[in-house]
């Protein structure tokens, strides 16, 4: 090949001293790597040759295609020579490396085997040793491959989690904007109504003032005419004055009622501004609902669909693509409340409606969420399936309850300090069952359903605004 007549020095760039990469030929006939030339020109801020300093007449010198091909051929031959020279020859004796020394863990030739260096060592033919050591390496590689698979699976889960974070953020932002839009609209309507009431009062009182002022103007005009006529008579000749005196004196007997002081004429500012924020806040109860318990979506089984306001849950026939995060149920179609309790008394009502299979109760913070949760301890519950009602605590079997009617709303009451979890009919406040247990850790409201017909819905409670007078 043509490259055999060249040395590595002949094919080296004068700037980086490496084999040329994309050599460009300058007008002075010197060649330089494209990258090297660009960096050199940038540092010098002038287009001159790095070798002879002659200024280049071209801003983009052409590629030296012949030199490029020579360099590529030279590099390929160099690799081939290096590979062929170290393939199976002993560096000391120039013999083929046919054996593998088991003690020194290295390839040897037949001369090496008989040398003092390898005396009393054990050897294997290269092919046999390769098979045996490959098998050994295969066994050691297996745990690494398994670990690699675990890492890849976890990375995939993390990728899904990262995508879910973006979706959650967008969804939550949309819901926040929708809720604030409702508040904005309420405040806007309330502002408009109050301003309209103010304008109406202004119009009424302005109309009243206009009418009274018009009447006053007419009376002033009439009185002015009378005064002017009397003044004219007083200025007349004596005979004329006396002749008209009787008529003139009659005019002075005109009696007009004095203008009354207007009561309530001004705008009742206090009516429009008194406790404005409080009264608007009080009226806001009409559009605001408070639910004592809301659902935590990161705990929901992938087949459960939560409502936008996180107050109801239903079963779907399709499994959603959700990250299998540690907080999520993966075996039981369940979901937890968003807030846990470790003190006090708490109560929430659940509309079970026509749901044919449901479970309500509480679950401890340390209870295992993954797998079959009813085989492990940590849940106190009441449930309904096959037309019957049961109560129990895991992992013990449930107890049948004596309920002879279809329940529509269940009240769950937790007395954490008193160690009681009670269930009752929220419609008529009839007691159904009470669990007694000394709670020692935080518990979360627990909900589960396997019915697609009707959701479980946590009912809102009435909000009251009260005023307390400080003594």
């Amino acid at each position: 090949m043509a490259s055999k007549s060249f040395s590595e020095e002949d094919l080296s760039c004068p700037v980086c001293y490496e084999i040329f990469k994309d050599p460009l030929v300058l007008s002075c006939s010197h060649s330089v790597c494209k990258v090297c030339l660009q960096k050199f020109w940038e540092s010098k801020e002038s287009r001159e040759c790095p070798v002879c300093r002659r200024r280049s007449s071209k801003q983009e010198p052409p590629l030296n295609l012949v030199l490029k091909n020579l360099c590529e051929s030279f590099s390929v031959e160099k690799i081939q020579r290096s590979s062929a020279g170290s393939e199976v020859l002993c560096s000391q004796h120039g013999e083929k490396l046919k054996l593998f020394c088991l003690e020194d863990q290295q390839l040897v030739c037949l001369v090496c085997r008989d040398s003092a260096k390898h005396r009393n060592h054990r050897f294997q033919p290269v092919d046999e040793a390769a098979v045996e050591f490959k098998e050994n390496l295969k066994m050691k590689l297996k745990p690494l491959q398994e670990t690699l698979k675990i890492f890849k699976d976890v990375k995939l889960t993390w990728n899904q989690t990262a995508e879910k974070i973006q979706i959650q953020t967008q969804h939550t932002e949309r819901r926040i904007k929708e809720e604030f839009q409702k508040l904005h609209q309420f405040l806007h309507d309330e502002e408009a109504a109050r301003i309209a009431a103010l304008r109406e009062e202004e119009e009424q009182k302005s109309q009243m003032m206009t009418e009274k002022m018009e009447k006053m103007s007419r009376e002033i005009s009439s009185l002015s005419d009378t005064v002017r006529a009397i003044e004219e008579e007083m200025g007349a000749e004596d005979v004329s004055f006396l002749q008209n005196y009787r008529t003139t004196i009659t005019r002075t007997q005109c009696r007009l009622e004095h203008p009354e002081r207007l009561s309530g004429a001004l705008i009742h500012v206090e009516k429009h501004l008194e406790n404005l924020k409080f009264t608007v806040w009080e009226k806001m109860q009409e559009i605001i609902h408070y639910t004592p318990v809301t659902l935590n979506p990161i705990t929901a089984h992938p087949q459960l669909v939560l409502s936008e306001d996180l107050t109801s849950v239903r079963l779907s026939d399709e499994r959603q693509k959700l990250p299998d995060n540690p907080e999520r149920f993966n075996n039981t179609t369940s979901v937890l409340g968003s807030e846990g309790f470790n003190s006090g008394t708490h109560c929430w009502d659940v509309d079970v409606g026509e749901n044919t299979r449901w479970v309500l109760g509480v679950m401890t913070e340390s209870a295992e969420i993954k797998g079959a949760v009813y085989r492990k301890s940590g849940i106190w519950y009441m449930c309904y399936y096959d037309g019957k009602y049961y109560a129990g605590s895991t992992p013990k079997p449930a107890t049948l309850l004596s309920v002879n009617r279809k329940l529509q709303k269940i009240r769950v009451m937790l007395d954490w300090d008193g160690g009681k979890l009670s269930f009752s009919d929220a419609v008529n406040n009839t007691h159904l069952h009470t669990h007694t247990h000394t709670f020692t850790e935080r518990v979360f409201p627990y909900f589960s359903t396997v019915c697609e017909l009707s959701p479980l819905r946590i009912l809102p409670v009435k909000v009251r605004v009260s005023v307390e007078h400080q003594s």
Side-chain angles (χ1 to χ4, degrees):
M1 295 180 67
S3 62
K4 290 183 178 179
S5 59
F6 292 93
S7 65
E8 184 170 346
E9 184 178 354
D10 295 329
L11 303 176
S12 297
C13 171
V15 176
C16 64
Y17 303 108
E18 300 288 342
I19 300 297
F20 281 109
K21 294 179 181 177
D22 298 326
L24 304 180
V25 59
L26 301 174
S27 54
C28 59
S29 299
H30 289 117
S31 294
V32 184
C33 292
K34 182 178 181 180
V35 174
C36 295
L37 184 62
Q38 290 175 345
K39 290 181 178 179
F40 182 81
W41 281 2
E42 289 175 0
S43 63
K44 292 295 183 180
E45 297 182 354
S46 65
R47 297 195 302 273
E48 60 183 37
C49 173
V51 180
C52 65
R53 304 301 180 181
R54 180 178 175 182
R55 185 171 180 80
S56 174
S57 59
K58 298 179 180 179
Q59 186 174 358
E60 296 183 2
L63 180 68
N64 192 336
L65 190 57
V66 175
L67 181 57
K68 183 176 185 293
N69 292 336
L70 282 174
C71 292
E72 290 177 352
S73 299
F74 183 84
S75 298
V76 171
E77 289 180 8
K78 182 179 178 182
I79 293 172
Q80 290 176 344
R81 288 196 302 270
S82 176
S83 176
S86 60
E87 187 176 1
V88 291
L89 297 181
C90 176
S91 60
Q92 291 184 345
H93 307 108
E95 299 288 335
K96 288 186 177 181
L97 301 171
K98 295 183 176 182
L99 300 175
F100 187 75
C101 178
L102 298 178
E103 274 74 10
D104 294 334
Q105 297 280 293
Q106 66 179 38
L107 289 167
V108 296
C109 66
L110 295 177
V111 179
C112 292
R113 179 193 62 183
D114 298 330
S115 66
K117 180 181 178 181
H118 296 282
R119 185 175 298 163
N120 298 325
H121 288 185
R122 294 178 299 121
F123 301 92
Q124 268 187 312
V126 169
D127 53 351
E128 291 182 12
V131 171
E132 180 179 332
F133 281 90
K134 282 181 180 179
E135 190 64 30
N136 181 47
L137 195 58
K138 183 179 179 181
M139 296 299 295
K140 294 184 179 298
L141 182 62
K142 189 174 181 180
L144 295 177
Q145 292 173 330
E146 293 174 351
T147 302
L148 178 60
K149 184 179 183 303
I150 292 173
F151 273 71
K152 287 183 176 180
D153 291 343
V154 172
K155 185 175 183 294
L156 178 61
T157 302
W158 287 0
N159 286 337
Q160 293 174 344
T161 302
E163 294 174 0
K164 183 61 177 177
I165 289 172
Q166 298 301 317
I167 295 173
Q168 283 182 309
T169 301
Q170 294 171 3
H171 173 77
T172 306
E173 181 179 346
R174 177 178 61 81
R175 288 290 299 141
I176 290 173
K177 289 182 177 179
E178 288 175 356
E179 291 301 314
F180 270 94
Q181 181 60 38
K182 293 177 183 177
L183 295 176
H184 294 160
Q185 188 62 47
F186 171 83
L187 293 174
H188 176 76
D189 294 343
E190 187 67 17
E191 177 189 10
R194 289 175 176 274
I195 290 178
L198 173 64
R199 296 300 185 195
E200 183 180 359
E201 184 180 357
E202 177 201 23
E203 184 178 355
Q204 291 175 352
K205 295 191 172 180
S206 295
Q207 179 66 27
M208 179 191 69
M209 292 302 300
T210 299
E211 293 174 354
K212 287 185 176 295
M213 290 175 68
E214 288 177 350
K215 180 181 177 182
M216 177 70 71
S217 296
R218 289 193 299 270
E219 291 176 344
I220 290 174
S221 177
S222 175
L223 188 58
S224 296
D225 291 342
T226 300
V227 170
R228 185 169 53 256
I230 293 173
E231 288 176 344
E232 289 177 355
E233 288 297 328
M234 290 176 65
E237 294 293 333
D238 294 343
V239 174
S240 177
F241 168 75
L242 292 174
Q243 286 178 339
N244 297 324
Y245 177 74
R246 184 176 295 179
T247 303
T248 302
I249 199 66
T250 302
R251 287 185 175 182
T252 63
Q253 296 174 357
C254 174
R255 294 290 182 266
L256 294 176
E257 295 182 2
H258 283 258
E260 61 182 6
R261 291 188 177 184
L262 297 179
S263 176
L266 296 177
I267 295 294
H268 288 292
V269 175
E270 77 288 350
K271 182 179 69 175
H272 300 285
L273 295 181
E274 184 179 16
N275 294 317
L276 177 60
K277 294 177 182 177
F278 176 81
T279 54
V280 172
W281 174 50
E282 190 176 29
K283 190 175 181 181
M284 196 177 287
Q285 294 175 83
E286 299 172 5
I287 67 166
I288 291 178
H289 302 285
Y290 172 75
T291 307
V293 170
T294 55
L295 304 174
N296 187 350
I298 68 173
T299 67
H301 185 276
Q303 276 188 265
L304 294 182
V305 178
L306 308 187
S307 61
E308 290 281 355
D309 59 0
L310 305 178
T311 61
S312 71
V313 54
R314 64 177 178 85
L315 184 72
S316 171
D317 57 354
E318 295 183 0
R319 191 181 181 94
Q320 304 172 80
K321 292 182 179 179
L322 298 173
D324 187 22
N325 48 290
E327 304 90 349
R328 191 180 304 282
F329 289 95
N330 64 349
N331 181 271
T332 308
T333 51
S334 307
V335 61
L336 294 179
S338 59
E339 182 181 359
F341 309 116
N342 58 1
S343 64
T345 301
H346 310 274
C347 179
W348 57 95
D349 293 350
V350 182
D351 185 354
V352 296
E354 300 304 319
N355 196 297
T356 57
R357 190 165 182 176
W358 49 262
V359 183
L360 302 175
V362 297
M363 183 177 189
T364 59
E365 188 171 25
S366 63
E368 181 58 53
I369 279 182
K370 303 296 184 183
V373 297
Y374 296 113
R375 295 179 183 177
K376 305 164 187 176
S377 61
I379 303 178
W380 293 263
Y381 63 91
M382 175 180 172
C383 63
Y384 175 72
Y385 64 91
D386 293 340
K388 297 180 181 179
Y389 296 91
Y390 300 84
S393 60
T394 59
K396 300 176 183 178
T399 302
L400 180 65
L401 300 179
S402 298
V403 180
N404 53 14
R405 63 189 182 280
K406 182 72 168 64
L407 302 175
Q408 294 292 322
K409 298 177 182 177
I410 305 297
R411 177 164 296 158
V412 185
M413 179 171 286
L414 170 68
D415 181 359
W416 194 95
D417 299 309
K420 293 181 180 180
L421 177 68
S422 302
F423 300 91
S424 59
D425 184 348
V427 176
N428 54 24
N429 203 26
T430 303
H431 176 262
L432 300 171
H433 183 79
T434 296
H435 292 290
T436 56
H437 177 78
T438 302
F439 297 107
T440 58
E441 61 175 301
R442 188 184 303 273
V443 295
F444 289 83
Y446 176 83
F447 307 83
S448 183
T449 179
V450 291
C451 173
E452 299 179 17
L453 300 177
S454 179
L456 299 178
R457 187 167 64 92
I458 305 167
L459 298 175
V461 297
K462 188 173 182 59
V463 179
R464 292 186 178 91
V465 177
S466 61
V467 178
E468 292 185 2
H469 294 282
Q470 298 292 335
S471 58

